């Protein structure tokens, strides 16, 4: 699979990998991938083969440090497990994220959610700025970007690739709704890791916490990673204490604002939700326009049929 579900677009010539900037003189180490049906950046495969690795970096470097890495904004680096692919690639980079969904040391495989597409770092300086993922593959962490096409699943060319999916894949953003004062919060997916530093180790009844990822099962419990006061924490999903729900856009925004976000605070969360609403509105507008075109075509066909009948009547009467 590609790094997004559904369609992905390479928008500009300079979005391609290679010497594609400054009239062929400027180097661009990766491919700028724009998810059209999803904003969730996922671990790709290699030519259809599932691959795995470990998150070695999940951060943002401040511009004041002088490091050029600031240009990536929030980014994730995955070190691939050895011996999976025949090429020289060992590291995958996913950059300009609105927020990261993984942490250092976490194991990931093809299809796992890594981050949310954004335009942090120097992507915010583009004219015009647009949300995308700068995807780069390297042999070493200090090496140049290698050809990413075996991982993107499409040519190194401007275009739209993949197959559209029904609606936005991210429309069903999940929240953990707390239904009991006994719902505990943890620093890790481990029942022994109760986070006593936060509210005595309890989540607040009646509150909905944004779900960052469904971690899976461990120790007989189903775990989710959630945002709690701007920090990544964990909860076990227990029917008598909490449940996974989806919310209306307004309630979702309120819940996100109440808890804050990872690395960017409420502004990025607001931008993410507004973008999702804008996409939904654009899709509705496109559907309306398609209906109008269909109506116009039907009216033209009716007019053509009427004209033909008039001609036949005239010929019959001559």
């Amino acid at each position: 699979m590609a790094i997004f579900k559904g369609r992905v677009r390479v928008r500009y010539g300079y979005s391609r990998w290679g010497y594609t900037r400054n009239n062929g003189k400027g180097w661009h180490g990766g491919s700028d991938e724009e998810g059209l049906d999803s904003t969730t950046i996922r671990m790709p495969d290699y030519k259809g083969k599932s691959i795995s690795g470990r998150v070695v970096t999940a951060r943002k470097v401040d511009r004041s440090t002088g490091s050029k890495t600031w240009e990536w904004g929030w980014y994730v680096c995955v070190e691939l497990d050895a011996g999976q692919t025949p090429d020289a690639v060992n590291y995958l980079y996913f950059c300009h994220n609105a927020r990261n969904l993984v942490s250092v040391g976490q194991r990931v495989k093809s299809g796992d959610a890594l981050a949310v597409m954004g335009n942090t770092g120097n992507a915010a300086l583009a004219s015009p700025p647009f949300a995308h993922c700068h995807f780069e593959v390297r042999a070493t962490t200090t090496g140049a970007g290698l050809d990413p096409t075996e991982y993107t699943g499409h040519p190194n060319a401007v275009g739209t690739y993949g197959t559209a999916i029904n609606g936005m894949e991210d429309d069903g953003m999940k929240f953990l709704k707390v239904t009991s004062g006994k719902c505990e919060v943890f620093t890790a997916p481990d029942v022994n890791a109760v986070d006593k530093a936060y509210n005595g180790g309890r989540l607040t009844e009646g509150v909905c916490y944004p779900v960052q990822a469904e971690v899976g099962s461990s120790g007989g419990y189903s775990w989710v990673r959630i945002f709690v006061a701007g920090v990544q924490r964990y909860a076990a999903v227990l029917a008598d204490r909490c449940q996974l729900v989806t919310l209306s856009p307004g309630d979702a925004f309120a819940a996100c604002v109440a808890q804050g976000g990872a690395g960017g605070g409420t502004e990025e969360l607001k931008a993410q939700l507004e973008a999702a609403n804008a996409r939904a509105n654009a899709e509705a507008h496109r559907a309306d326009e398609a209906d109008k075109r269909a109506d116009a075509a039907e009216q033209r066909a009716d007019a053509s049929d009427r004209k033909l009948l008039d001609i036949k009547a005239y010929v019959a009467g001559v």
Side-chain angles (χ1 to χ4, degrees):
M1 66 168 294
I3 66 172
F4 293 103
K5 288 186 178 180
R7 297 166 298 163
V8 62
R9 174 168 62 185
V10 178
R11 187 183 289 211
Y12 302 115
Y14 60 76
S15 298
R16 297 170 297 135
W17 168 76
Y19 284 98
T20 59
R21 303 200 163 177
N22 299 326
N23 295 318
K25 299 177 181 178
W27 173 254
H28 185 227
S31 178
D32 290 341
E33 306 280 301
E34 184 181 358
L36 300 182
D37 299 318
S38 173
T39 60
T40 299
I41 298 167
R42 298 182 182 276
M43 180 74 172
D45 60 25
Y46 175 82
K47 298 174 69 173
K49 174 189 173 184
S50 182
I51 54 177
S52 59
R54 182 176 65 91
V55 177
V56 292
T57 309
R59 64 175 182 174
K60 178 181 181 182
V61 176
D62 193 88
R63 189 173 187 175
S64 63
T65 63
S67 170
K68 280 185 67 65
T69 309
W70 78 267
E71 296 179 353
W72 286 349
W74 285 95
Y75 76 98
V76 170
C77 176
V78 174
E79 181 180 14
L80 292 178
D81 295 336
Q84 297 183 94
T85 62
D87 60 18
V89 173
N90 293 305
Y91 296 92
L92 310 182
Y93 290 84
F94 309 83
C95 312
H96 300 320
N97 309 331
R99 58 186 172 99
N100 295 337
L101 302 179
V102 290
S103 52
V104 172
Q106 187 173 331
R107 299 280 308 164
V108 293
K109 63 183 184 306
S110 297
D112 286 351
L114 303 177
V116 175
M117 181 175 73
N119 62 348
T120 58
N122 71 350
L125 306 178
S127 182
F130 66 100
H132 65 278
C133 174
H134 172 85
F135 176 64
E136 189 164 325
V137 301
R138 294 182 174 185
T140 67
T141 55
T142 56
L146 302 175
D147 183 351
T149 54
E150 302 293 6
Y151 299 85
T152 63
H154 62 72
N156 185 36
V158 172
T160 298
Y161 306 96
T163 304
I165 58 178
N166 245 352
M168 282 294 295
E169 188 249 343
D170 306 311
D171 284 347
M173 183 178 180
K174 293 182 180 179
F175 293 81
L176 185 74
K177 182 177 182 179
V178 178
T179 56
S180 166
K182 296 179 181 180
C183 190
E184 292 178 306
V185 62
F186 305 86
T187 57
D190 181 347
V191 293
N192 297 311
V194 177
D195 190 356
K196 295 290 187 181
Y198 176 78
N199 197 35
R202 308 276 182 176
L203 294 173
T204 305
E205 185 175 356
V207 172
C208 291
Y209 296 89
V211 172
Q212 186 182 42
E214 294 184 63
V215 177
S217 298
S218 177
Y221 296 92
S222 294
W223 294 90
V224 291
R225 186 163 64 249
I226 56 177
F227 287 127
V228 183
V231 176
Q232 297 178 19
R233 294 185 170 96
Y234 296 83
V237 183
L238 299 170
D240 63 333
R241 300 182 184 183
C242 56
Q243 58 184 331
L244 291 175
V245 300
T246 56
L247 302 175
S248 68
D251 289 341
F253 174 62
C256 289
V257 169
Q259 295 306 320
T266 60
E267 287 306 309
E268 286 180 349
L269 285 167
K270 179 180 179 181
Q272 182 187 345
L273 288 164
E274 287 179 345
N277 288 336
R279 285 191 295 270
N281 290 335
E283 187 62 36
H285 177 70
R286 284 194 294 270
D288 287 342
E289 290 300 310
D291 287 343
K292 288 177 182 177
R293 287 194 296 271
D295 288 342
E298 187 174 349
Q299 289 172 9
R300 287 194 297 271
D302 288 343
S304 179
D305 288 344
R306 286 195 299 271
K307 185 175 181 181
L308 182 60
L309 289 173
D310 289 343
I311 292 173
K312 286 181 177 179
Y314 172 77
V315 170
V318 170

